[in-house]
Amino acid sequence: MLIVQKYGGSSVADATRVKNVANRIAKTYQQGNGVIVVLSAQGDTTDELIAKAKEISSNPSKREMDMLLTTGEQQSVALMAMALAELGVPAISLNAAQVKMHTSRDYGVARLKKIETGRIESELYRKNVVIVTGFQGINRYEDLTTLGRGGSDTTAVAIAAALNADKCEIYTDVDGVYTADPRIVPNAKKLEEITYSEMLELASLGAKVLHNRSVEMAKRYNVELVVRSSLNESEGTTVKEETEVEKMLISGVAGDDNVARVSLLKIVDKPGKAFEIFNALGKNNINVDIIIQSVATDGKRNISFSIDKDSLEDVKKIVEANIKKWGVAGVEYDENLAKVSVVGAGMVSNAGVASKVFEAMYDADVNINIISTSEIKISILIEKDDMKRAMRAIHDKFNLGN
Ligand code: ASP
Ligand code: MG
């Protein structure tokens, strides 16, 4: 079999962990498999490199930032090759330029376009374990680029797709994907399987187990992923197109307590208003999440939307600058909100999920601000202080726990 294994920063944080991971890799190799390993930078290395840059410049060039950040992954792969050599396992480390992992131009947020397979294949042919830097690529100028924070998952999936690997295992410091964050919901249960779509929803909802784009890519190229811990032998969670266990109604509950709401009040009701407003926000790179527009009364409408709290200051500026032009009579901000979402592929064919969520909120005495639904997700906006209680109440209502 050809197996891609990706190890995150915490799994290779220090010498002991590097050696521990080397043992795992050696075992897989000695079973007769071809092994490609993708690594993140050790521990907090990426953050430390960012801090170093800040000591020198408040606004360093993006090209030089990538030149700097890519050194983190390069340290990991070299150290891992040494650790494998100590175990008598032939291994070679390669960076993005040596493999030729081509990306778009944009430093810091580059997208992988094409991974050349020649070098990796010839190293596999020579029976080497091939250890590749995650998170980086080269652009058309042959400059190093990075894929955005957490991007090593995406490197692993892209390599698995390009080489048509039999398995892509993502090793991290948790045992897999859970029905909820176990720090908030203590009886949360590890899922055996989850669909790509559910994982995408959970990933974007702040269940930070996998990089969002890695899941998108896995779905597109049908790469089955296994998320598991590098610290124990637990089986992990498989992410795939369709789950085999009887279609679960609900697979998880996620919470995000960094949400703000903006309400634009009494807007003149005529065509093009929503476009004008959201176009201005979009042009300023504001990521708007839930939008609701109320029915017009006496020729006026209200529009409310939620955003990441971190972009509230930017939004305030945009609103202030445009309020007259938009014909908005008043504006209201609420920055103490949380979003709780329930995700499940089984929702599509099952009515009554929403009412069960509302019942749970009623029982727990949680007031709902805004509701939004999609085929496999229901999200509610509530007071931040209610988030944990709400998550536990929903988790219990659907009997998701152990
Ligand atoms: N080292 C990078 C980061 O910390 C990439 C990764 O870990 O996937 O964001
Ligand atoms: Mg990292």
Side-chain angles (χ1 to χ4, degrees):
M1 278 211 285
L2 179 60
I3 302 179
V4 175
Q5 297 186 332
K6 180 259 169 176
Y7 293 91
S10 58
S11 298
V12 293
D14 54 30
T16 313
R17 292 208 173 169
V18 170
K19 290 179 189 172
N20 165 49
V21 165
N23 276 310
R24 266 187 190 268
I25 297 169
K27 214 156 84 190
T28 312
Y29 175 81
Q30 280 149 2
Q31 286 161 353
N33 300 301
V35 188
I36 304 168
V37 176
V38 175
L39 298 182
S40 292
Q42 290 186 288
D44 296 328
T45 304
T46 308
D47 290 323
E48 286 158 16
L49 290 169
I50 293 171
K52 275 193 186 187
K54 290 232 167 92
E55 280 173 23
I56 301 215
S57 165
S58 60
N59 189 22
S61 102
K62 290 188 173 155
R63 179 189 183 277
E64 300 309 333
M65 272 315 281
D66 280 359
M67 198 67 182
L68 180 66
L69 295 190
T70 48
T71 62
E73 272 66 19
Q74 204 162 311
Q75 293 178 21
S76 301
V77 294
L79 292 169
M80 188 59 73
M82 294 174 197
L84 284 164
E86 285 294 318
L87 298 174
V89 175
I92 185 167
S93 65
L94 297 173
N95 65 18
Q98 291 167 311
V99 172
K100 296 201 175 72
M101 299 196 260
H102 301 281
T103 70
S104 60
R105 265 183 298 182
D106 346 270
Y107 304 100
V109 290
R111 288 188 169 249
L112 277 171
K113 283 179 153 173
K114 183 174 190 279
I115 293 186
E116 294 191 25
T117 56
R119 181 71 191 268
I120 294 179
E121 278 165 343
S122 63
E123 298 299 343
L124 288 170
Y125 183 76
R126 293 189 193 110
K127 297 283 174 231
N128 278 320
V129 171
V130 189
I131 309 167
V132 181
T133 48
F135 177 56
Q136 60 180 253
I138 47 169
N139 66 14
R140 66 168 73 155
Y141 313 117
E142 296 189 2
D143 280 344
L144 286 160
T145 52
T146 61
L147 309 180
R149 297 306 305 269
S152 300
D153 293 341
T154 302
T155 308
V157 173
I159 288 180
L163 284 120
N164 208 355
D166 300 288
K167 253 189 185 178
C168 184
E169 301 175 328
I170 309 285
Y171 285 91
T172 165
D173 52 3
V174 294
D175 287 353
V177 182
Y178 279 75
T179 50
D181 184 337
R183 285 167 303 185
I184 298 175
V185 184
N187 69 338
K189 199 161 73 183
K190 191 184 75 192
L191 295 162
E192 257 171 61
E193 300 181 323
I194 187 169
T195 64
Y196 295 124
S197 312
E198 289 169 315
M199 193 64 232
L200 271 174
E201 292 289 0
L202 289 174
S204 60
L205 294 171
K208 294 188 179 64
V209 224
L210 283 175
H211 193 227
N212 225 338
R213 245 193 286 148
S214 72
V215 185
E216 275 167 28
M217 196 178 288
K219 183 176 161 84
R220 179 153 9 112
Y221 296 101
N222 207 8
V223 176
E224 209 171 288
L225 298 178
V226 179
V227 182
R228 54 187 299 192
S229 168
S230 64
L231 306 169
N232 60 44
E233 294 298 325
S234 167
E235 286 289 332
T237 303
T238 303
V239 190
K240 59 207 292 202
E241 184 59 41
E242 276 203 35
T243 50
E244 272 148 29
V245 272
E246 161 202 2
K247 223 182 194 180
M248 278 170 304
L249 183 57
I250 300 300
S251 57
V253 183
D256 173 0
D257 64 0
N258 198 38
V259 179
R261 173 180 59 85
V262 180
S263 294
L264 304 175
L265 309 171
K266 299 203 174 142
I267 309 167
V268 182
D269 186 29
K270 60 179 199 205
K273 274 291 150 201
F275 170 68
E276 202 181 328
I277 293 164
F278 292 105
N279 188 40
L281 295 167
K283 276 197 177 138
N284 287 285
N285 289 319
I286 305 295
N287 232 327
V288 175
D289 186 22
I290 304 173
I291 302 174
I292 57 165
Q293 175 173 295
S294 65
V295 178
T297 45
D298 44 284
K300 310 271 188 194
R301 286 172 183 273
N302 299 337
I303 293 182
S304 294
F305 55 92
S306 68
I307 50 172
D308 199 278
K309 200 169 137 185
D310 301 335
S311 48
L312 185 60
E313 287 313 310
D314 289 345
V315 170
K316 281 183 178 170
K317 279 185 209 139
I318 300 165
V319 170
E320 249 95 89
N322 289 288
I323 193 158
K324 285 241 171 65
K325 201 175 96 205
W326 289 342
V328 172
V331 53
E332 223 180 73
Y333 302 102
D334 187 344
E335 50 184 294
N336 288 309
L337 296 177
K339 182 170 78 166
V340 170
S341 304
V342 187
V343 173
M347 266 184 217
V348 186
S349 50
N350 230 297
V353 174
S355 73
K356 232 169 145 178
V357 170
F358 304 149
E359 189 186 353
M361 293 305 88
Y362 174 65
D363 294 346
D365 196 22
V366 171
N367 193 33
I368 303 175
N369 221 291
I370 290 184
I371 301 163
S372 127
T373 61
S374 77
E375 269 206 324
I376 65 163
K377 181 182 73 174
I378 296 170
S379 296
I380 54 174
L381 232 53
I382 58 178
E383 291 300 315
K384 191 176 168 159
D385 292 339
D386 290 338
M387 185 182 88
K388 292 181 180 173
R389 198 153 40 97
M391 287 175 69
R392 291 178 197 131
I394 294 170
H395 200 265
D396 283 348
K397 193 58 135 189
F398 289 95
N399 281 319
L400 297 178
N402 279 314

